Amino acid sequence: MPHQDTLYSLPTSTTIGKVILVGAGPGDPDLLTVKAMRLIQQADVIIYDRLVSDEIIALFPPHSQSIFVGKEAGNHCVPQQQINELLVKHALAGKQVIRLKGGDPFIFGRGGEELEALLPFNIPFEVVPGITAASGCAAYAGIPLTHRDHAQSVQFITGHLKQGQDQIDWLSLARAKHTLVFYMGLNQSNVIRHKLSAYGMSLATPIAIIEHGTTAQQRVLTGELAQIETLAKQAISPALIIIGSVTQLSQQLNWFQQQADSITHSNHSQQLCG
């Protein structure tokens, strides 16, 4: 396991390092891009989030320093300002810094904010996109986000809905032939149900909640919009909420679960034969 670092002051090097913002994808290490994997192996420092899976953490090179700055709803292990300071300090110390984020760093990942923090120090940076949770988890659950018979568009929405600061266009979201994907929305499932139904979406609209998508712990809960709160209480974070008729296709197209069931059945059969 790479060395765990803590917040501390670092000396400024005569040679400025570099910060590389890397998307780790939704969890399955095989979904890392070739470029992401190569840069992780070359890193001096890796600053990573809670949504980076254990399987990907296991790929960190032993020579690198790893710094966990995970955040979850209501519990910020390291405040965003301190994360920004970490990036600056290690880069000014001449290090090649990988800022590793689950999914894609430019989709609800505050990637843009972190790069803006580097600008006053003239620190060079690069961005390596990753597979965002919406496309990765939906694919592994057998849910096509668009489909000619079901949805002609898809929209990604943050589930972090601050009270009194809701700027979401719920009327637009509630229209038909449309797929909605809510990131981090478990704790706001009651708001999602209330708002969508208030603006005309039927409570019978099919939904799916995908927890630990693309990993061996993946579980897909399906139902209707009227049941979203009940299903959300059963789900374990991290989880993604998908709303729309495309979610009905999961029963036929859930290849990942079928594959896992096939392996389990094969192993069971071998044990019985043994």
Side-chain angles (χ1 to χ4, degrees), residues 131-176:
I131 295 176
T132 188
S135 58
C137 297
Y140 273 52
I143 299 173
L145 294 177
T146 61
H147 187 290
R148 287 194 297 173
D149 297 331
H150 295 271
Q152 282 70 56
S153 60
V154 59
Q155 191 159 348
F156 302 161
I157 311 103
T158 177
H160 284 168
L161 309 177
K162 293 184 178 180
Q163 190 171 10
Q165 299 181 30
D166 184 357
Q167 297 179 349
I168 293 177
D169 183 357
W170 292 101
L171 178 61
S172 173
L173 296 185
R175 70 181 186 269

Side-chain angles (χ1 to χ4, degrees), residues 205-217:
T205 302
I207 70 167
I209 298 179
I210 308 170
E211 66 177 41
H212 295 285
T214 78
T215 72
Q217 294 76 41

Side-chain angles (χ1 to χ4, degrees), residues 64-253:
S64 68
Q65 295 177 333
S66 67
I67 306 173
F68 175 69
V69 292
K71 299 190 292 290
E72 57 185 316
N75 179 24
H76 284 210
C77 176
V78 180
Q80 186 62 53
Q81 181 58 35
Q82 291 185 7
I83 295 174
N84 296 348
E85 292 173 0
L86 269 175
L87 296 174
V88 171
K89 288 179 181 178
H90 284 281
L92 291 180
K95 305 292 186 180
Q96 175 151 307
V97 182
I98 296 295
R99 176 65 173 109
L100 192 62
K101 293 174 172 286
D104 182 273
F106 274 5
I107 298 181
F108 304 127
R110 295 190 179 182
E113 296 174 38
E114 294 181 359
L115 294 186
E116 287 179 305
L118 307 177
L119 297 178
F121 302 92
N122 295 316
I123 295 172
F125 57 81
E126 184 177 338
V127 181
V128 180
I131 295 176
T132 188
S135 58
C137 297
Y140 273 52
I143 299 173
L145 294 177
T146 61
H147 187 290
R148 287 194 297 173
D149 297 331
H150 295 271
Q152 282 70 56
S153 60
V154 59
Q155 191 159 348
F156 302 161
I157 311 103
T158 177
H160 284 168
L161 309 177
K162 293 184 178 180
Q163 190 171 10
Q165 299 181 30
D166 184 357
Q167 297 179 349
I168 293 177
D169 183 357
W170 292 101
L171 178 61
S172 173
L173 296 185
R175 70 181 186 269
K177 295 288 185 177
H178 189 52
T179 302
L180 307 179
V181 183
F182 284 88
Y183 286 65
M184 305 161 287
L186 291 183
N187 293 334
Q188 297 293 334
S189 60
N190 61 326
V191 176
I192 293 170
R193 178 192 56 79
H194 172 73
K195 290 287 190 178
L196 290 176
S197 62
Y199 282 93
M201 180 176 283
S202 169
L203 288 174
T205 302
I207 70 167
I209 298 179
I210 308 170
E211 66 177 41
H212 295 285
T214 78
T215 72
Q217 294 76 41
Q218 174 175 298
R219 186 168 66 131
V220 182
L221 306 173
T222 58
E224 298 178 345
L225 181 60
Q227 302 168 300
I228 190 171
E229 293 167 77
T230 300
L231 293 177
K233 289 177 182 177
Q234 299 173 23
I236 300 173
S237 180
L240 201 70
I241 299 173
I242 303 180
I243 299 176
S245 63
V246 290
T247 60
Q248 295 174 302
L249 298 173
S250 179
Q251 295 180 358
Q252 294 81 37
L253 305 182

